[in-house]
Amino acid sequence: MPVVDAKPYQYPFEPKTTALVVIDMQRDFVEPGGFGDSLGNDVARLTAIVPTVAELIGLCRRYGIRVIHTREAHRADLTDCPPAKLKRGNPALKIGDKGAMGRILIDGEPGNDIVPALAPIAGEIVIVKPGKGAFYATALGDILRLQGITHLLFAGVTTEVCVQTTMREANDRGYECLLVEDATESYFPQFKTAALEMIRAQGGIIGWTATCGEVAAALAAR
Ligand code: C5J
């Protein structure tokens, strides 16, 4: 069984019962003109991790680890978007407004697509989620249970919002979770650092962290 030299201690996992969850690597967060940009963020930090996320996805595909993608998205009529979320942050462009890549954070719009370098392949599940956590109002929990998944690797953006929220949801549901440190990013470097520390504090209270290279080394050595 592969064992990752992770923090705060070793993380053993079986590829057959492990899934990689790639959170929200969509143009709305990663490219200029999307939702992240409309909230005043510099998206360059997020764009920079695309090659590492691609490497991790390729690694998982090679070793038979299921790859699941998520997108944060709302229905075109916004009936699944709480008014509080719509108003929050007083952004230049609100959810549903027309931006440079179509309507902001709306399912089916060009900006809602996963960036081309990380596009899902046939057979990979894409979870469309209206919240920050990928378990809320989606079929993710049922899918993982029916597929016999017990371990989850996490990548994507942003570390302290959708990634951390989903990892906490998964931890409460009993999954053994590991966040891949260099395959996740935040608009705020200090929030990424703090989120990684929070996850692995107190003996891994939420889970483990390790680099993509450390996961690759574990898989190569098994
Ligand atoms: C945010 C996310 N930051 N994917 N979404 O609103 O983290």
Side-chain angles (χ1 to χ4, degrees), residues 50-160:
V50 170
T52 308
V53 180
E55 189 185 327
L56 180 65
I57 290 174
L59 188 68
C60 289
R61 285 175 183 157
R62 276 201 302 287
Y63 283 92
I65 296 170
R66 283 172 197 286
V67 180
I68 297 174
H69 307 258
T70 73
R71 287 191 280 113
E72 185 173 340
H74 290 282
R75 297 164 53 111
D77 61 7
L78 294 176
T79 48
D80 61 352
C81 184
K85 181 175 181 182
L86 203 55
K87 281 191 298 208
R88 190 73 52 81
N90 196 21
L93 286 173
K94 291 198 306 300
I95 296 167
D97 286 350
K98 189 127 183 62
M101 295 184 286
R103 292 181 67 201
I104 300 275
L105 229 57
I106 298 297
D107 193 16
E109 295 287 330
N112 206 246
D113 279 346
I114 291 170
V115 296
L118 307 178
I121 60 172
E124 287 178 354
I125 290 163
V126 180
I127 300 287
V128 179
K129 62 184 184 65
K132 303 304 179 192
F135 286 83
Y136 168 69
T138 75
L140 179 61
D142 286 338
I143 289 169
L144 295 176
R145 185 174 47 78
L146 291 169
Q147 302 294 312
I149 300 296
T150 55
H151 288 60
L152 295 173
L153 308 179
F154 283 94
V157 297
T158 60
T159 316
E160 79 283 9

Side-chain angles (χ1 to χ4, degrees), residues 23-24 29 35 39 72 129 132 157-159 161-163 187:
I23 305 274
D24 299 359
F29 293 115
F35 183 56
L39 290 168
E72 185 173 340
K129 62 184 184 65
K132 303 304 179 192
V157 297
T158 60
T159 316
V161 185
C162 291
V163 176
Y187 299 119

Side-chain angles (χ1 to χ4, degrees), residues 11 151-154 167 170-171 175-179 206-208:
Y11 176 86
H151 288 60
L152 295 173
L153 308 179
F154 283 94
M167 197 166 168
N171 184 54
Y175 293 96
E176 304 279 23
C177 300
L178 180 144
L179 175 55
I206 306 298
W208 288 257

Side-chain angles (χ1 to χ4, degrees), residues 17-40:
T17 53
T18 300
L20 168 67
V21 185
V22 183
I23 305 274
D24 299 359
M25 288 301 291
Q26 58 198 77
R27 301 179 65 202
D28 265 324
F29 293 115
V30 176
E31 292 185 10
F35 183 56
D37 188 22
S38 83
L39 290 168

